[in-house]
Amino acid sequence: MRPDSPSPVIPFLIACAGIATFSAMDVLMKGLSIDIGAYNAVLWRTGAGTLFSGLLYLASRPAAWPDAATMKIHAVRALFVAGMAITFFWALARLPMAEAIALAFVAPLMTLYMAAIFLGEKIGPRSIAASLLGLVGVVVIVAGKLGQGQYEAEALLAVGAVFLSAIFYAYNLILARRQAKMAEPMEIAFYQNLFVTLFLGLGAPWFAVPPGSAHAPHIVGAAILATISLLLLSWAYARAEAQILATTEYTGFLWAMMFGWYFYAEPVTLPTIAGALLIVAACLIVARKTPQLDPIEPAAA
């Protein structure tokens, strides 16, 4: 950071608040995914989010509508966000929050290989070693559960679903770089909600179930929290370097531990903490090695 650069303290704290808000949304989405299924939870949340973010977007009086190229990237990224959200919240309904969040931290490591495949970037030995360290962290978490005999077959499938979600998220980060240069945060929030709802709506005749009145407050609350989180993170990433703010992602594990324990009585085991620390250490090694010249627009699931 240059001597005359503004202090990153405020953006850092705002980013932490954005992660906390997003973690609170996970609490609501976990309950909805258990009650009405991940598909319906995401469908109705993004539907409500479309209305909420749409009002804010129109109130901002955009100077022009997105051109064809921008609309295309909105749609493509929304497709990956839809897959990421469905798989993650399906897993979250079957795993403790802390474990799901810890396993999802492998996404930045997967981004390395995504960047090599799609952007032609080279992966150095240090990055490969960091990836292996992250893999050890995953093994520690899963082995800890297997050793206690607490994993049922469906829970093991949930671990696989988290990895699939992380793959979607990793490519989503690559798309987010391009999208952030083409559109403002409020526009991104609106079209992301809109396109995810449209994509999921294709399966509505077979899978959609109207939510009950008891679920409505949670759906609206989750939509509002997701939008607020996206705006907070977007504000922060526009005012501080991504390499400074990226570490705020890992505060999500602390919120997941606390919220999972408070709302769902989920214990946090030592293997989960140890595995999370190994994965976070691997991600920090990669972050120190990889220069982040462009801000990455945060991706709200």
Side-chain angles (χ1 to χ4, degrees):
M1 187 173 65
R2 299 187 307 270
D4 58 341
S5 298
S7 171
V9 173
I10 297 301
F12 184 88
L13 293 176
I14 293 297
C16 288
I19 296 299
T21 305
F22 198 74
S23 298
M25 185 273 294
D26 283 343
V27 173
L28 296 178
M29 288 298 291
K30 179 180 177 74
L32 287 169
S33 297
I34 292 172
D35 291 344
I36 62 177
Y39 169 83
N40 282 285
V42 177
L43 173 65
W44 298 115
R45 191 210 75 184
T46 55
T50 300
L51 296 175
F52 181 64
S53 60
L55 291 173
L56 294 177
Y57 177 53
L58 293 176
S60 68
R61 297 183 178 182
W65 297 107
D67 58 23
T70 304
M71 197 67 80
K72 180 180 178 180
I73 197 170
H74 285 327
V76 172
R77 186 184 173 198
L79 185 62
F80 283 89
V81 169
M84 175 183 72
I86 290 290
T87 50
F88 179 76
F89 290 121
W90 186 87
L92 192 61
R94 292 159 178 81
L95 292 174
M97 289 185 63
E99 289 179 22
I101 296 297
L103 292 170
F105 284 158
V106 300
L109 303 177
M110 291 183 176
T111 303
L112 287 174
Y113 297 95
M114 290 284 187
I117 295 171
F118 295 104
L119 302 179
E121 296 182 4
K122 295 182 179 180
I123 303 177
R126 181 172 178 174
S127 296
I128 293 175
S131 300
L132 294 176
L133 180 62
L135 180 61
V136 171
V138 171
V139 171
V140 169
I141 294 173
V142 176
K145 275 291 194 183
L146 290 175
Q148 298 173 19
Q150 295 180 7
Y151 262 149
E152 299 176 356
E154 192 173 60
L156 289 175
L157 288 176
V159 172
V162 174
F163 287 141
L164 181 57
S165 177
I167 292 173
F168 287 134
Y169 183 72
Y171 189 65
N172 171 61
L173 288 179
I174 294 175
L175 291 174
R177 280 187 180 273
R178 295 168 52 197
Q179 189 185 36
K181 296 178 180 179
M182 301 169 69
E184 295 297 322
M186 202 63 255
E187 177 185 321
I188 292 172
F190 169 61
Y191 283 105
Q192 180 171 296
N193 278 293
L194 176 62
F195 279 116
V196 170
T197 302
L198 292 176
F199 288 141
L200 295 182
L202 296 175
W206 298 276
F207 305 113
V209 176
S213 58
H215 297 127
H218 291 178
I219 291 172
V220 173
I224 292 174
L225 288 172
T227 302
I228 292 174
S229 174
L230 179 60
L231 294 177
L232 289 173
L233 289 169
S234 298
W235 186 94
Y237 272 76
R239 289 162 175 81
E241 295 178 350
Q243 59 187 338
I244 295 175
L245 300 182
T247 54
T248 63
E249 290 281 343
Y250 305 121
T251 62
F253 181 71
L254 302 176
W255 291 110
M257 284 195 302
M258 184 176 70
F259 288 155
W261 168 78
Y262 184 80
F263 290 102
Y264 296 103
E266 297 172 348
V268 181
T269 63
L270 287 178
T272 298
I273 296 175
L277 290 176
L278 289 172
I279 296 171
V280 169
C283 293
L284 292 177
I285 291 172
V286 170
R288 289 182 59 189
K289 182 65 177 177
T290 306
Q292 303 204 24
L293 301 179
D294 299 319
I296 297 179
E297 180 69 30

